[in-house]
Amino acid sequence: MPNIIQLTHVHKAYTLGQLKQPVLHDISLTISSGEFVAIVGPSGNGKSTLLNLLTGIDRPCRGEVLVNGSALHRLREEQLSIWRGAHVGIVFQFFQLLPSLNLLQNILLPMDFVGKLPKRERLERARYLLNLVGLDEQAKQLPGQVSGGQQQRAAIARALANDPALIVADEPTGNLDSATADAVFALFSALQQQGKTLVIVTHNEDLAQSASRRIAIHAGRIHDDQYLSNTK
Amino acid sequence: MLFNLNLWQKVSADLFSHKSRSALAISSIAIGLFVIGTLLGMMDLQLGSMDNAHRQSQPSHINLILRQDADVAVAKTIKNIDGVADIDTLTQFTAQFKTSPSAQWQTGTVLFRADYQDQAYDRMTLVSGSFPRDNRIAVERLSARFSGLNSGDSIEFSTANGSEKLAIDGIIRHPFVKPPAFGGQLHFFIAEELAPIFGIPAHTFRQLLVQIKPPYSEEKARSIAGKIRAQLAVSGIAVNATLLQHPDRHWGRAIFSGIHLVLTVMAWASLALSSVLILNTVAALITQQTDQIGIMKSLGARRRTIAGIYLSEVFILSLIALLIAIPLSWAGAFYSSRWLLDVFNIELNGFVYSAQALSLMIAGGLVAPLLAALWPIWKGASMSVRQAIASYGLGADFVSHGFDRWLERTVAAWLPTLYAVALGNLLRRKARLLWTQSVLIIAGVLFIVIMSLIASVNLTLNNELARSRYAVRIGFAQDQSADLVNDIVRTIPPTVAVEFWQRLPAELLQGDKLIRQSGSLGLQMIGLPADTTMYRPLIVAGRWFDPSDDRQKQLVINAETAELNGIQVGDTVNAKLMQQPARAWQVIGLYRGFAGSGYAVEAVYAPLSAMQPDSLNAHKHAFALLSADIHSLAEEKTYVDALKTAFEQQQIKLDFYTTLAKLEQRRFAENQFRPMTRMLLGLAVMIAAVGGIGLSGTLAIGVLQRTREIGVLRAIGASSSAIFKLFMLEGLFHGCLAWLISIPLAFLLAEPLAKQLGTTMLGIELDFVFSLVSVGFWLGFVLILALLAAYLPARQASRIVVRAGLSY
């Protein structure tokens, strides 16, 4: 399978007052299309920073970040927003649905931003995605009216709105009970079956074991990188 | 002590570590306090200074404007009337002048007094140069400034023998002059010796200034004025008008009361705005510190302690704002009062700060911010530890009420998603929305009310014009015979018809008691043909004359005066004309006066045939009303000039005060009202601007509070332009909502407010019309305002980078 993600000698550091705090050291990594990658490791060791580099939310200090053929380290902020809308779906720990929009409208929003689909097809796709995550009954509910698990499923549906090749999720189950977390992971597995590439940061070692590849980050370096038996 | 040193350190850290937020809060409160202090201080300072200047001018209590020149010997007889303290005289007349040989002739007012160095009442003070002497004249201070005239310039006057060039040698302040900027004529002062060149005999006067013996009361002054008029009548001198003045209250108070009404609204709108801004700032602070609140609570802090921390912060900010605002508002009150009083020819000599304004500033400055902040602080302090610590997701500040769900189902669901987001954001913080909207709505209502006022002034003028069928009313300095006047005017085209009226100063009595009147310049009985075709006032009760009223002693009187005295249609009143004994007349109708109760001669209409046997000049008339085929101001001017020339050739003097051309009168009235309506519009625009600042602040706080949300939108593909559009749309929705709400409110309030403003500021009873076009104008204006207000916050939002947004 072709590589969808290629990181070459990536360094990242944050400046805190007078101090420069290194977060990632010389990371080189490739992820093939269709992989389901779980990134694990202790807090504050660079997992989320790595994820932010993959989505263009953050930029490397040095090194190259190529995702789906785009050199993210060279794109401007505005180009990155447009690129993200079209090529990557992001799932956040706290769902981050817009509270004043109903679930259906939350899913329509990225489609409206990107404009890839004709207007008449967007509503049809949003309904399809809600159905996919089992929320067709709650389409007209506001986020505050549904449970945390339902919100996260809606957030996953939103991440799929523009049919991105890559889906990244930062602690997607961190705010859910274990049964709901299992259901969300099952949804990720199903997406992998459909050919999506998934990169997920998690603290939950059991859930990480259900991915096809497990990368452990420690002190800003790749400490361990192993393919699991769940490989598609 | 409310709490320990550590918590005080937190208070100071909160205030100093977010300097821009603290500066925003201080400036929000200080702006509101500054506006309140300036406006309220200005009002007190203005009224105090006006009354002071009025007292210093030694105002006459009674000012009798005579119909003809009277010899000074007559004045001396007035001094002996019981109740009269002393008298003074002056003469004021109109004359044609031009400021350079190539300039157009203009009409100005010329005034002289017997001795400028020894003025008893209505004192005119020398500003620079010298009082008039010989051929040297002086110009009134406001006239000098308005026209650019100064000492050393020459003015050419049209005189009895041609024209005369007179040099200006002084500038004088006149206490009762109508500002030229408000449509008043230019005023000049001459020495008494120059009067004959204007055809006015030496040692005469046209205005008699009287002070009565203390104590002053309007009733007493009116009664003495009646005695003086009777005394003058014995000498064959008629009085055109009688002006009464309160010794301690400036004549401009009536005009200022309308201005102050608007200023008061503006002051409170500023306080409301200030509260909105502080509410927004505190709400943002609480949102930012939600996790800190959670941690403090988990460590055992009580709700009261947490509320105390944030209320202390607000109190400190308010105190700093108050200390900044007080001196600034003193300066604001002083300089703005000096400017406005100067327009009314009053010099502001000293500065006394209003204790009322200061106490309101202190109370408003310390209490209003605390009250505004109380709710968000209490809500924040009441949050559970779990809520506080877990509030990392979007919508921690969003509580979906039934209204939100209804809106979502009925409106937002049908909107494009970006519009739905903007609409949701608009309604997210309902209290903030309410406050922000309130200022915009007040501005909108005021704008529509003032536009309706302007439309109503035009309608009233049009209606008055329609009731007057004559083109020109000629007033004669001395009564003229109908035959002579007919012979003159019939030869001048395009005269169509002529009607003759008479006028006599009158006193109306109920029994033997003088009635109270709404006009302050006295009563005048106007005799007109019972079948008059030239004029018909607006009758509000009873009826107007018809041919059957010929020779009947019947009156149509002012409705306001009738109401003041409880006079009904069908009642009988006694009328005293000149020195004739009182006779009984029946009231058959009540008319509504065009001019209000300000400085107006009040007309009492009667059939000419019934009035003439009482008058001294039977078969002679004071007025000729001419109808003519005239359609433009230019045609009217040509016609009036031809009439004036024809009468001049026949040695018939016209009375400038009562001769009027209808279209010119209308233009004059429009010009007279324009400065007031423009000022009101200016104030509405200022309130709108204040509303715009409030809106901008609300959106800016929205950007701050929704930074994480902006980050999420960026993360799911929103471009800068989409974020920019989102906030611009929210601004536009604010504008549209304010517009929608202001329409029904303005519709309800426009009539009473416009009528009140018409009476207090313009002195006219308005025929009301709601200005529909202003609703359209206001939409355009408020949308532009909303776009301007939203621009900076929207730009700020569009510049938030995704990582900064998500890590907020």
Side-chain angles (χ1 to χ4, degrees):
Chain A
M1 293 291 261
N3 292 337
I4 190 168
I5 294 169
Q6 186 174 337
L7 269 67
T8 313
H9 302 299
V10 167
H11 292 258
K12 179 69 189 174
Y14 292 116
T15 305
L16 300 169
Q18 302 290 323
L19 285 174
K20 199 160 188 180
Q21 181 72 42
V23 182
L24 293 175
H25 303 274
D26 196 21
I27 300 277
S28 291
L29 169 72
T30 55
I31 295 174
S32 303
S33 194
E35 279 191 77
F36 180 179
V37 180
I39 299 174
V40 297
S43 293
N45 277 246
K47 302 188 301 294
S48 294
T49 302
L50 179 62
L51 211 60
N52 284 347
L53 292 176
L54 299 182
T55 53
I57 286 173
D58 217 338
R59 292 164 184 280
C61 299
R62 271 187 289 144
E64 293 185 345
V65 181
L66 286 169
V67 180
N68 211 14
S70 299
L72 301 192
H73 55 284
R74 293 210 184 100
L75 294 182
R76 293 195 308 272
E77 187 70 24
E78 182 68 1
Q79 291 171 316
L80 281 168
S81 282
I82 296 163
W83 173 84
R84 257 192 312 269
H87 296 95
V88 64
I90 304 175
V91 181
F92 301 92
Q93 180 180 357
F94 293 102
F95 334 127
Q96 313 290 22
L97 296 170
L98 263 65
S100 57
L101 296 186
N102 64 31
L103 302 186
L104 186 74
Q105 285 172 320
N106 263 290
I107 294 159
L108 277 168
L109 197 58
M111 290 190 262
D112 287 345
F113 285 147
V114 173
K116 198 156 78 175
L117 284 177
K119 276 184 182 169
R120 60 183 178 281
E121 289 177 30
R122 292 179 202 164
L123 189 63
E124 207 176 308
R125 177 161 176 80
R127 290 210 168 107
Y128 161 76
L129 290 170
L130 274 177
N131 181 265
L132 186 74
V133 296
L135 289 173
D136 36 357
E137 295 286 309
Q138 286 78 24
K140 297 284 181 176
Q141 305 275 10
L142 292 169
Q145 295 173 275
V146 299
S147 70
Q150 287 172 319
Q151 286 190 54
Q152 193 60 300
R153 274 147 59 198
I156 293 167
R158 181 178 68 181
L160 295 168
N162 286 313
D163 197 20
L166 174 66
I167 299 198
V168 298
D170 191 357
E171 295 280 6
T173 58
N175 211 31
L176 303 175
D177 59 61
S178 63
T180 314
D182 287 346
V184 167
F185 251 75
L187 195 55
F188 284 144
S189 299
L191 289 172
Q192 189 205 5
Q193 298 298 321
Q194 290 170 23
K196 301 285 180 201
T197 307
L198 291 111
V199 181
I200 288 163
V201 164
T202 183
H203 275 108
N204 187 326
E205 196 56 47
D206 289 344
L207 293 176
Q209 292 300 325
S210 62
S212 59
R213 183 176 170 189
R214 178 184 175 280
I215 298 174
I217 302 278
H218 188 75
R221 295 174 199 277
I222 296 177
H223 180 65
D224 185 35
D225 183 355
Q226 54 179 301
Y227 288 89
L228 306 172
S229 56
N230 308 313
T231 308
K232 190 173 70 168
Chain B
M1 209 159 139
L2 185 61
F3 32 74
N4 63 34
L5 191 63
N6 281 340
L7 290 178
W8 278 116
Q9 275 171 352
K10 167 164 170 52
V11 169
S12 87
D14 280 351
L15 295 177
F16 286 103
S17 60
H18 293 87
K19 290 187 186 70
S20 55
R21 191 182 60 202
S22 298
L24 177 69
I26 290 170
S27 55
S28 304
I29 306 167
I31 287 168
L33 291 178
F34 168 73
V35 176
I36 287 176
T38 300
L39 296 185
L40 298 182
M42 191 170 108
M43 284 182 224
D44 276 1
L45 193 57
Q46 276 166 6
L47 293 180
S49 303
M50 284 168 79
D51 292 341
N52 199 27
H54 182 63
R55 280 190 291 270
Q56 281 180 358
S57 77
Q58 283 294 315
S60 56
H61 300 159
I62 305 165
N63 182 347
L64 295 133
I65 300 165
L66 311 184
R67 198 165 152 193
Q68 66 257 58
D69 302 311
D71 194 278
V72 287
V74 176
K76 287 171 186 159
T77 64
I78 306 297
K79 270 190 186 178
N80 301 324
I81 293 174
D82 187 33
V84 171
D86 202 356
I87 61 150
D88 195 2
T89 60
L90 62 84
T91 295
Q92 189 165 314
F93 58 94
T94 53
Q96 296 287 300
F97 74 94
K98 53 185 180 180
T99 50
S100 69
S102 58
Q104 293 263 321
W105 286 104
Q106 299 176 55
T107 304
T109 300
V110 179
L111 189 148
F112 70 82
R113 305 186 77 138
D115 185 355
Y116 285 95
Q117 304 288 354
D118 185 26
Q119 303 173 49
Y121 304 133
D122 298 358
R123 285 178 187 162
M124 291 147 195
T125 51
L126 190 65
V127 176
S128 65
S130 311
F131 276 124
R133 64 183 192 288
D134 307 326
N135 278 347
R136 293 179 176 275
I137 64 167
V139 62
E140 209 288 317
R141 180 180 156 275
L142 288 181
S143 301
R145 186 184 303 165
F146 185 75
S147 60
L149 291 170
N150 214 331
S151 290
D153 293 339
S154 288
I155 304 288
E156 188 178 350
F157 283 94
S158 171
T159 59
N161 302 319
S163 71
E164 187 96 21
K165 235 175 176 180
L166 301 170
I168 298 173
D169 193 29
I171 293 176
I172 288 176
R173 188 192 299 267
H174 186 315
F176 306 116
V177 71
K178 183 175 182 182
F182 283 16
Q185 292 180 349
L186 298 193
H187 280 60
F188 301 96
F189 302 86
I190 59 167
E192 191 183 21
E193 308 89 89
L194 267 186
I197 71 164
F198 289 96
I200 295 169
H203 309 298
T204 59
F205 65 94
R206 272 192 198 172
Q207 282 189 35
L208 182 64
L209 312 174
V210 179
Q211 272 201 359
I212 61 171
K213 286 180 181 158
Y216 174 88
S217 78
E218 194 179 316
E219 206 167 323
K220 186 174 161 191
R222 205 180 286 284
S223 160
I224 292 172
K227 290 180 193 167
I228 298 172
R229 278 198 297 267
Q231 177 70 41
L232 288 169
V234 171
S235 308
I237 297 163
V239 175
N240 257 352
T242 307
L243 169 65
L244 301 183
Q245 286 193 110
H246 193 284
D248 296 315
R249 297 171 74 81
H250 192 275
W251 57 273
R253 266 180 172 262
I255 299 166
F256 273 74
S257 67
I259 297 173
H260 288 175
L261 178 77
V262 179
L263 291 183
T264 308
V265 171
M266 202 178 154
W268 293 114
S270 305
L271 186 65
L273 172 78
S274 194
S275 303
V276 174
L277 294 180
I278 194 74
L279 183 88
N280 286 349
T281 313
V282 171
L285 171 76
I286 298 290
T287 307
Q288 277 178 324
Q289 302 220 337
T290 301
D291 50 347
Q292 290 193 31
I293 292 172
I295 291 160
M296 285 190 286
K297 290 196 102 174
S298 69
L299 296 174
R302 294 167 66 182
R303 184 192 300 181
R304 204 180 54 186
T305 312
I306 289 170
I309 291 170
Y310 294 106
L311 285 173
S312 302
E313 290 182 16
V314 173
F315 182 78
I316 291 167
L317 295 171
S318 305
L319 200 61
I320 297 170
L322 187 65
L323 293 174
I324 294 170
I326 287 175
L328 288 178
S329 69
W330 285 356
F334 176 74
Y335 288 109
S336 53
S337 294
R338 196 169 70 168
W339 170 78
L340 201 61
L341 288 171
D342 192 61
V343 172
F344 284 83
N345 221 6
I346 296 165
E347 196 174 12
L348 180 58
N349 290 319
F351 175 74
V352 180
Y353 195 70
S354 156
Q356 183 207 358
L358 186 61
S359 49
L360 271 172
M361 273 180 86
I362 293 170
L366 297 180
V367 176
L370 285 174
L371 284 178
L374 200 59
W375 169 242
I377 286 176
W378 193 248
K379 212 173 119 195
S382 305
M383 212 182 291
S384 70
V385 177
R386 191 190 57 78
Q387 279 175 316
I389 293 179
S391 62
Y392 293 103
L394 299 185
D397 61 330
F398 183 81
V399 183
S400 72
H401 297 104
F403 172 75
D404 300 292
R405 292 191 286 273
W406 171 83
L407 187 82
E408 202 288 316
R409 276 196 315 273
T410 54
V411 184
W414 305 104
L415 287 174
T417 45
L418 202 61
Y419 288 72
V421 176
L423 184 64
N425 289 342
L426 172 83
L427 301 166
R428 202 151 154 175
R429 297 258 181 184
K430 290 173 187 66
R432 187 187 302 168
L433 172 72
L434 182 76
W435 285 111
T436 310
Q437 282 287 306
S438 62
V439 185
L440 286 174
I441 291 166
I442 289 171
V445 170
L446 265 181
F447 180 82
I448 297 171
V449 166
I450 293 161
M451 291 296 279
S452 295
L453 173 71
I454 294 169
S456 302
V457 167
N458 284 329
L459 176 72
T460 310
L461 291 174
N462 286 341
N463 288 345
E464 184 62 16
L465 215 65
R467 288 192 285 270
S468 310
R469 301 276 166 77
Y470 56 86
V472 177
R473 186 179 80 180
I474 305 271
F476 302 109
Q478 287 181 329
D479 292 354
Q480 299 296 325
S481 85
D483 291 344
L484 177 60
V485 173
N486 247 325
D487 287 347
I488 296 169
V489 298
R490 292 284 183 190
T491 60
I492 299 169
T495 304
V496 174
V498 190
E499 194 173 289
F500 291 95
W501 290 7
Q502 183 54 290
R503 60 166 175 167
L504 287 174
E507 280 174 358
L508 290 188
L509 305 100
Q510 281 177 306
D512 56 358
K513 194 178 166 217
L514 271 178
I515 65 162
R516 293 159 66 205
Q517 52 188 87
S518 60
S520 62
L521 294 193
L523 283 176
Q524 199 163 65
M525 187 177 280
I526 304 284
L528 31 70
D531 59 350
T532 178
T533 55
M534 294 291 185
Y535 185 62
R536 181 191 172 88
L538 180 64
I539 301 294
V540 291
R543 64 179 179 84
W544 184 235
F545 302 114
D546 61 35
S548 69
D549 297 316
D550 198 30
R551 297 187 183 282
Q552 303 297 313
K553 288 219 169 296
Q554 289 173 335
L555 298 176
V556 174
I557 69 168
N558 185 296
E560 210 180 322
T561 298
E563 195 184 334
L564 270 175
N565 297 279
I567 299 170
Q568 309 275 333
V569 171
D571 288 358
T572 299
V573 293
N574 294 321
K576 220 172 157 181
L577 296 169
M578 304 292 285
Q579 76 276 36
Q580 300 289 316
R583 293 191 182 172
W585 293 71
Q586 189 187 29
V587 176
I588 62 161
L590 306 178
Y591 72 90
R592 198 192 71 186
F594 167 67
S597 55
Y599 301 105
V601 179
E602 191 179 311
V604 176
Y605 296 100
L608 183 62
S609 51
M611 179 178 152
Q612 271 183 332
D614 277 349
S615 78
L616 296 174
N617 300 313
H619 309 300
K620 287 197 169 185
H621 303 91
F623 296 120
L625 289 100
L626 314 179
S627 68
D629 195 17
I630 284 173
H631 304 286
S632 70
L633 266 167
E635 284 175 19
E636 187 185 83
K637 187 173 183 327
T638 310
Y639 182 53
V640 171
D641 287 346
L643 287 168
K644 281 181 180 168
T645 309
F647 281 110
E648 209 172 287
Q649 282 166 357
Q650 296 296 321
Q651 311 288 321
I652 295 174
K653 272 189 181 177
L654 303 186
D655 177 18
F656 281 100
Y657 287 112
T658 54
T659 298
L660 58 92
K662 199 167 72 172
L663 297 179
E664 191 193 3
Q665 187 70 12
R666 173 176 177 150
R667 194 179 60 169
F668 177 76
E670 274 176 357
N671 289 343
Q672 191 178 6
F673 299 143
R674 196 164 290 143
M676 284 293 174
T677 49
R678 278 189 183 163
M679 192 197 72
L680 287 172
L681 266 183
L683 284 173
V685 169
M686 278 171 74
I687 293 179
V690 168
I693 295 167
L695 174 58
S696 197
T698 296
L699 293 174
I701 294 290
V703 171
L704 193 68
Q705 287 184 322
R706 296 205 293 271
T707 301
R708 177 182 281 263
E709 194 171 300
I710 294 165
V712 171
L713 290 173
R714 286 286 209 183
I716 63 170
S719 61
S720 297
S721 62
I723 303 285
F724 182 80
K725 193 175 165 188
L726 183 68
F727 280 88
M728 292 301 278
L729 275 174
E730 192 178 334
L732 276 181
F733 285 157
H734 262 288
C736 288
L737 186 64
W739 176 73
L740 278 172
I741 297 173
S742 63
I743 297 171
L745 284 177
F747 192 79
L748 287 172
L749 294 172
E751 186 163 0
L753 277 180
K755 283 190 164 175
Q756 182 64 38
L757 286 171
T759 313
T760 53
M761 292 188 76
L762 310 178
I764 57 171
E765 294 287 328
L766 287 176
D767 295 331
F768 178 75
V769 60
F770 184 78
S771 169
L772 278 174
V773 72
S774 69
V775 174
F777 274 135
W778 178 244
L779 175 65
F781 188 75
V782 78
L783 290 184
I784 291 169
L785 185 78
L787 287 175
L788 289 174
Y791 178 75
L792 281 180
R795 203 177 67 157
Q796 188 191 353
S798 69
R799 286 179 174 182
I800 292 173
V801 295
V802 60
R803 190 183 153 268
L806 289 173
S807 62
Y808 189 76

